[in-house]
């Protein structure tokens, strides 16, 4: 009586598909976790701005970080000592991750003393370190036309 390999092959095929699905689910979970961690850095930056919290602001930047073409020290100094209340709100964020490199593209509205000031897009480049994700480069666009000043989510 010949041995049929169809059943074992079918079994192994089903097992393989099941293992691949589990691996994909784990990858999606890991990706989701990293996605949330990257956006948590963005949130921490803007919470630090709202609270004029120098320690929180410094904690999100890598030592070699640049803001535009400058270092971050001047930015932090202006935020911490400024007299105006800054509230930057992002929405429709896009996060891309490859290993230890991440990019967050975050459309935003900026409110100064609770009045709409301008909108644009922030572009964050981050690296994963022993302390977590840290901003290495931050740049933005700014405009007053084509904005939705009611957007605060």
């Amino acid at each position: 009586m010949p041995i049929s390999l169809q059943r074992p092959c079918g079994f192994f095929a089903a097992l393989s598909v099941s293992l691949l699905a589990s691996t994909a689910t784990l990858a999606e979970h890991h990706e989701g976790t990293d996605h949330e961690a990257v956006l948590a850095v963005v949130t921490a930056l803007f919470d630090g701005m709202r609270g004029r919290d120098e320690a929180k602001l410094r904690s999100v930047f890598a030592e070699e970080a640049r803001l535009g073409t400058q270092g971050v020290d001047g930015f932090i100094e202006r935020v911490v000592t400024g007299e105006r209340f800054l509230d930057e709100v992002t929405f429709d964020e896009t996060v891309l991750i490859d290993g230890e490199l991440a990019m967050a593209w975050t459309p935003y509205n900026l409110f100064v003393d609770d009045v709409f000031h301008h909108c644009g897009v922030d572009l964050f480049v981050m690296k994963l370190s022993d302390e977590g994700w840290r901003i290495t480069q931050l740049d933005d666009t700014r405009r007053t036309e084509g904005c939705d000043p009611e957007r605060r989510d």
Side-chain angles (χ1 to χ4, degrees):
M1 175 184 234
I3 299 175
S4 171
L5 295 178
Q6 287 180 333
R7 280 199 199 279
C9 287
F11 170 76
F12 289 119
L15 180 61
S16 295
V17 168
S18 176
L19 288 173
L20 286 173
S22 296
T23 303
T25 301
L26 287 173
E28 289 169 10
H29 174 73
H30 180 69
E31 180 178 300
T33 303
D34 281 343
H35 181 274
E36 293 165 8
V38 166
L39 288 180
V41 172
V42 173
T43 299
L45 172 68
F46 297 134
D47 286 348
M49 283 174 55
R50 283 187 282 277
R52 294 187 177 104
D53 184 334
E54 182 175 356
K56 184 174 267 191
L57 289 168
R58 290 199 183 282
S59 75
V60 299
F61 288 102
E63 188 174 317
E64 71 280 6
R66 295 181 313 173
L67 180 64
T69 58
Q70 307 167 0
V72 298
D73 290 336
F75 164 75
I76 291 174
E77 180 68 22
R78 285 189 304 277
V79 169
V80 171
T81 61
E83 295 180 13
R84 304 185 84 183
F85 178 73
L86 303 175
D87 184 17
E88 191 159 337
V89 180
T90 67
F91 44 86
D92 299 335
E93 297 90 350
T94 299
V95 174
L96 300 174
I97 300 171
D98 185 28
E100 296 179 353
L101 179 67
M103 186 257 345
W105 177 272
T106 63
Y108 73 90
N109 282 335
L110 179 68
F111 299 87
V112 178
D113 295 330
D114 209 33
V115 176
F116 177 78
H117 191 266
H118 68 265
C119 70
V121 172
D122 289 321
L123 174 61
F124 294 86
V125 177
M126 298 186 201
K127 289 277 194 153
L128 186 59
S129 70
D130 292 339
E131 295 80 33
W133 291 101
R134 295 293 179 263
I135 301 166
T136 59
Q137 176 72 37
L138 172 56
D139 222 325
D140 67 327
T141 62
R142 299 171 191 182
R143 63 182 181 281
T144 55
E145 294 181 16
C147 303
D148 180 4
E150 302 299 317
R151 191 97 191 242
R152 286 193 174 236
D153 58 334

